[in-house]
Amino acid sequence: MEYYSNQISRLIEEFSRLPGIGSKSAGRLAFHVINMPKEQVEALAKTLVEARNNVCYCQQCCTLTDQEICPICKNPDRDQKTIMVVETPRDLAAYEKTGKYYGTYHVLHGAISPMLGIGPGDIRLKELMERLEGDIEEVIIATNSSLEGETTAMYISKLIKPVGIKVSRIASGVPVGGDLEYIDEVTLLRALEGRTLL
Ligand code: ZN
């Protein structure tokens, strides 16, 4: 890309590292940024750096937050004895959008995948087991219905059952391999309400 100045080439290169951004889109974004008012670019850059610096894992549920304990874990109106286990913070957001779930969450940040070499130690399972030493009544496993999600659900239920805590799995009907984030709220609620004991 020698026909662009170095700075523009670098900007395009940085954008093309983002997921889902090909070289064409990266070019479009780069030129868009260059034509933006300077203050807007500065605000964008500042927000990016601040978010990266300040966002951390909630010490209780492991979701992303900018506080030690996230607002959901802190909320006294949430049922702290029910934990819904999800794969990503985006799955958590999908259930929050339904506005009908009043328990707390646990975010695994992934799923077990022997194919990809992701084992139980690579997701936030240890943190979940530690939480179960407290006063917990039910763990709802809401991992995806992909092979990895099902493997993870089975693994977790085997771990928890001996502890004597109720373990349930959201109903299938959530499309196989479907990203929970893109499933409509009615389907999510149906999956939650139709959960079965493991
Ligand atoms: Zn939390």
Side-chain angles (χ1 to χ4, degrees):
M1 283 199 214
E2 279 163 20
Y3 39 90
Y4 292 141
S5 84
N6 247 343
Q7 291 279 334
I8 297 176
S9 301
R10 259 190 61 198
L11 193 55
I12 294 174
E13 202 186 305
E14 292 295 340
F15 275 125
S16 61
R17 286 187 198 167
L18 298 174
I21 307 286
S23 59
K24 244 188 186 171
S25 306
R28 203 157 31 84
L29 285 170
F31 285 106
H32 179 80
V33 165
I34 285 162
N35 287 311
M36 270 162 70
K38 273 187 188 168
E39 311 78 65
Q40 260 186 44
V41 178
E42 273 161 19
L44 172 64
K46 193 164 162 260
T47 309
L48 286 175
V49 173
E50 280 180 0
R52 181 62 188 86
N53 284 342
N54 298 332
V55 171
C56 54
Y57 295 117
C58 167
Q59 289 188 2
Q60 190 168 306
C61 72
C62 299
T63 195
L64 297 174
T65 176
D66 52 10
Q67 299 156 32
E68 264 182 35
I69 303 287
C70 78
I72 296 173
C73 289
K74 237 189 245 170
N75 186 345
D77 294 331
R78 305 290 294 232
D79 168 15
Q80 302 284 338
K81 295 182 178 181
T82 304
I83 301 177
M84 186 195 288
V85 180
V86 294
E87 292 183 23
T88 67
R90 289 182 308 163
D91 296 335
L92 178 156
Y95 275 101
E96 278 304 283
K97 263 187 230 153
T98 69
K100 295 269 165 56
Y101 173 68
Y102 305 107
T104 61
Y105 296 90
H106 191 85
V107 182
L108 295 172
H109 294 280
I112 297 170
S113 171
M115 290 263 286
L116 298 173
I118 301 169
D122 299 316
I123 56 177
R124 302 258 162 176
L125 254 185
K126 190 171 64 87
E127 289 85 346
L128 174 64
M129 295 311 289
E130 281 167 10
R131 286 180 73 184
L132 300 187
E133 288 166 18
D135 188 11
I136 303 297
E137 274 170 9
E138 183 180 0
V139 175
I140 303 167
I141 306 177
T143 50
N144 286 354
S145 51
S146 60
L147 178 63
E148 292 79 15
E150 292 299 348
T151 307
T152 309
M154 256 175 16
Y155 187 88
I156 294 176
S157 84
K158 271 189 198 153
L159 269 186
I160 298 179
K161 266 197 207 158
V163 184
I165 293 170
K166 195 162 124 188
V167 191
S168 58
R169 174 85 173 113
I170 55 163
S172 52
V174 173
V176 172
D179 204 327
L180 289 180
E181 188 190 8
Y182 297 111
I183 295 163
D184 69 87
E185 288 154 30
V186 178
T187 310
L188 273 187
L189 274 181
R190 221 179 280 149
L192 179 59
E193 279 158 11
R195 67 186 183 272
T196 45
L197 273 182
L198 291 177

